[in-house]
Amino acid sequence: MLDVIITYIPFMLKGTCMSILIFVATLAVSLPLGLPVALGANSRILPIKWICIIYVWIFRGTPLLLQLFFFYYFFPIVLHITMNAYITVVITFILNYGAYFAEIYRGGINSIDKGQYEASFALGLSKKQTTVDIILPQTMKAILPPVVNEAITLIKDTALASTIPIIELMKATNSAVNATTNMIPFFFAAVIYLIMTAVLTFVANKVEAHFKRYDAKEDN
């Protein structure tokens, strides 16, 4: 039985690579996507403001699994648009996490003291200069913990891709369990997920420590 399980480890590692690809592609696009959406939601231009608010409301208010089914089954059946399963997963995840990151950005921006805006305007800085040079640098430091939490959630959410025809870690694990009639592959999968979250947490701690050192130098 152990020999059979060992033969499935390379298959599970291949699924792990797919999970990592989904994670990296989603984070690389959704993280920057959230910023313009957040700024749009705070905009005084009503059409832009409401488009951003409605986008965030829809993608935060419905389950990611439902969104995945919608994009994978609705487009081919109703709109006759067929997409590769990997592309479908990545697009769905980007739109979903872009909405969550937008709210994190917006919360960080709105948490900045209004007096800083007034001081910037008093110094003759434009609204764009105030946002780019004063507000956003402070926002980036403030939002680091919730961004890391969302990134860790994203690692675990990649398992939802197993509900459509794409071989990521969870689907590979299920295949191994069905083939071996043994639950040990689930243990291996849990270890892999824990390793991925541990690596991400380690990197996040290093980044946070860098910001703290930078703040300490500024105080001195």
Side-chain angles (χ1 to χ4, degrees):
M1 179 64 69
L2 184 59
D3 292 339
V4 177
I5 295 173
I6 290 175
T7 61
Y8 272 87
I9 290 180
F11 184 56
M12 292 177 63
L13 291 178
K14 185 177 179 181
T16 302
C17 290
M18 178 57 72
S19 295
I20 293 173
L21 283 175
I22 294 170
F23 170 80
V24 171
T26 301
L27 198 64
V29 180
S30 63
L31 197 54
L33 172 64
L35 181 56
V37 174
L39 294 174
N42 281 346
S43 174
R44 294 181 181 179
I45 304 173
L46 289 182
I48 294 177
K49 179 184 180 74
W50 282 107
I51 287 172
C52 293
I53 289 174
I54 291 171
Y55 157 66
V56 171
W57 175 65
I58 290 174
F59 281 92
R60 290 183 73 236
T62 55
L64 176 55
L65 183 59
L66 180 61
Q67 295 165 18
L68 197 58
F69 287 158
F70 179 84
F71 280 100
Y72 188 72
Y73 295 110
F74 178 82
F75 280 5
I77 294 174
V78 178
L79 301 180
H80 305 290
I81 299 174
T82 302
M83 290 190 294
N84 173 275
Y86 172 74
I87 298 298
T88 303
V89 168
V90 169
I91 289 175
T92 306
F93 275 56
I94 286 172
L95 291 173
N96 180 276
Y97 273 84
Y100 279 92
F101 286 134
E103 279 300 282
I104 292 174
Y105 280 121
R106 196 159 74 96
I109 292 170
N110 292 343
S111 69
I112 304 300
D113 186 80
K114 299 299 181 184
Q116 299 204 33
Y117 290 93
E118 296 170 359
S120 299
F121 296 150
L123 291 172
L125 297 179
S126 67
K127 186 174 182 179
K128 180 180 179 181
Q129 289 174 317
T130 300
T131 300
V132 173
D133 297 331
I134 307 297
I135 304 303
L136 288 184
Q138 296 180 72
T139 299
M140 295 307 163
K141 289 186 283 185
I143 67 172
L144 183 59
V147 165
V148 172
N149 288 337
E150 283 299 317
I152 291 173
T153 301
L154 172 58
I155 290 177
K156 295 179 286 185
D157 275 352
T158 57
L160 295 175
S162 64
T163 57
I164 66 174
I166 186 170
I167 306 298
E168 46 67 67
L169 176 56
M170 201 64 232
K171 179 159 283 188
T173 302
N174 284 330
S175 298
V177 169
N178 292 333
T180 61
T181 64
N182 193 299
M183 305 299 286
I184 291 179
F186 283 136
F187 172 78
F188 290 147
V191 170
I192 292 171
Y193 279 117
L194 286 171
I195 290 172
M196 289 192 290
T197 55
V199 169
L200 180 60
T201 302
F202 175 80
V203 172
N205 287 340
K206 289 294 184 181
V207 173
E208 190 171 356
H210 171 75
F211 276 121
K212 286 181 179 178
R213 287 198 298 269
Y214 182 76
D215 289 342
K217 289 179 182 179
E218 283 188 334
D219 292 339
N220 292 332

